[in-house]
Amino acid sequence: MEESNNYGDQHPLLLMLNQEQLINYGSGVADCSRCGEEVSAPCFCCAEHCRFYLHKVCAEAPLELNHPFHHDHPLLLMQNAPYSSAGD
């Protein structure tokens, strides 16, 4: 395990390199805080046990992406939707 920056969590994150470390950390089944899929090693988890998890690939994903269908501007990954889910 090694410590990393927080990627949106208020606490330090620990890098779990294999599934055994993740199991020994006591996480049980948890979902990635970015993609929502079940988390598996390698992944980051909150050092303060606040149930914040990230796949390593999700943590390393770019926040800005240039795509040929959107050549006038980049696509931005936002932490929260800019609109409410109620349809406002």
Side-chain angles (χ1 to χ4, degrees):
M1 288 182 291
E2 66 184 66
E3 202 168 307
S4 182
N5 64 3
N6 65 8
Y7 296 100
D9 188 44
Q10 61 185 355
H11 305 121
L13 298 180
L14 300 173
L15 175 59
M16 302 293 172
L17 295 172
N18 58 54
Q19 206 64 23
E20 185 178 336
Q21 285 180 325
L22 189 58
I23 292 167
N24 290 339
Y25 193 67
S27 68
V29 175
D31 294 331
C32 176
S33 296
R34 182 169 272 180
C35 74
E37 297 293 321
E38 185 176 326
V39 76
S40 58
C43 66
F44 291 99
C45 62
C46 178
E48 302 293 324
H49 298 278
C50 74
R51 308 271 315 144
F52 184 87
Y53 295 90
L54 284 175
H55 293 113
K56 190 171 185 291
V57 296
C58 290
E60 295 169 345
L63 297 178
E64 186 174 303
L65 178 68
N66 291 310
H67 192 277
F69 293 150
H70 293 269
H71 59 273
D72 293 336
H73 58 85
L75 299 174
L76 303 175
L77 177 63
M78 303 178 81
Q79 296 294 335
N80 299 309
Y83 49 86
S84 76
S85 60
D88 293 339

